[in-house]
């Protein structure tokens, strides 16, 4: 049961990463951005794609290397917490938050909490 949050986070990051690399516009379309320049696709592939794939690999390493587990889980949980905090700051500045960012905010908070709890 201690590993379930790690497997869930690992799967989510892997899906996000591979999906962003293969179809970057599917990431941005959720937020109302329907057309990307080559630079925009590069950014999505790097920030969502590469980051997601390597977070999944870090979580896999945490499962296979007990000495890395707590540090990796803390780092990934902190990264998710930072993403959630950024969404909250943006919502405060804009005085609104749309459905997709709100859903991701909830997911980030939940997964961050779960990873930190099992670290």
């Amino acid at each position: 049961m201690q590993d379930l949050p790690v497997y869930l986070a690992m799967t989510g990051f892997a899906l996000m990463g591979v999906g962003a690399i293969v179809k970057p516009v599917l990431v941005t379309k959720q937020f109302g951005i329907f057309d990307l320049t080559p630079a925009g696709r590069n950014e999505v592939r790097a920030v969502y794609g590469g980051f997601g794939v390597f977070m999944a690999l870090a979580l896999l390493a945490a499962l296979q290397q007990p000495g890395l587990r707590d540090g990796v889980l803390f780092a990934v949980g902190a990264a998710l917490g930072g993403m959630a905090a950024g969404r909250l700051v943006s919502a405060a500045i804009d005085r609104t938050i749309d459905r997709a960012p709100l859903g991701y905010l909830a997911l980030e908070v939940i997964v961050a909490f779960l990873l930190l709890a099992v670290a």
Side-chain angles (χ1 to χ4, degrees):
M1 195 61 139
Q2 287 277 73
D3 289 344
L4 182 60
V6 183
Y7 281 109
L8 290 173
M10 184 175 62
T11 302
F13 274 117
L15 290 171
M16 176 187 81
V18 171
I21 290 168
V22 173
K23 287 281 194 179
V25 77
L26 291 181
V27 173
T28 60
K29 196 160 58 167
Q30 300 172 73
F31 307 103
I33 303 166
F34 299 98
D35 192 31
L36 294 172
T37 64
R41 288 189 298 274
N42 184 288
E43 184 68 10
V44 171
R45 286 179 173 129
V47 174
Y48 288 88
F51 177 78
V53 168
F54 275 77
M55 287 293 103
L57 291 172
L59 290 164
L60 179 62
L63 290 169
Q64 294 179 345
Q65 300 288 327
L68 297 177
R69 182 184 172 91
D70 288 349
V72 169
L73 298 186
F74 178 82
V76 175
L80 287 165
M83 292 163 71
R87 291 185 196 282
L88 288 174
V89 168
S90 183
I93 291 169
D94 293 336
R95 295 192 177 120
T96 188
I97 187 166
D98 290 338
R99 180 182 292 169
L102 183 61
Y104 284 114
L105 167 65
L107 184 62
E108 290 155 1
V109 168
I110 291 166
V111 176
F113 175 78
L114 291 172
L115 290 177
L116 294 172
V118 298

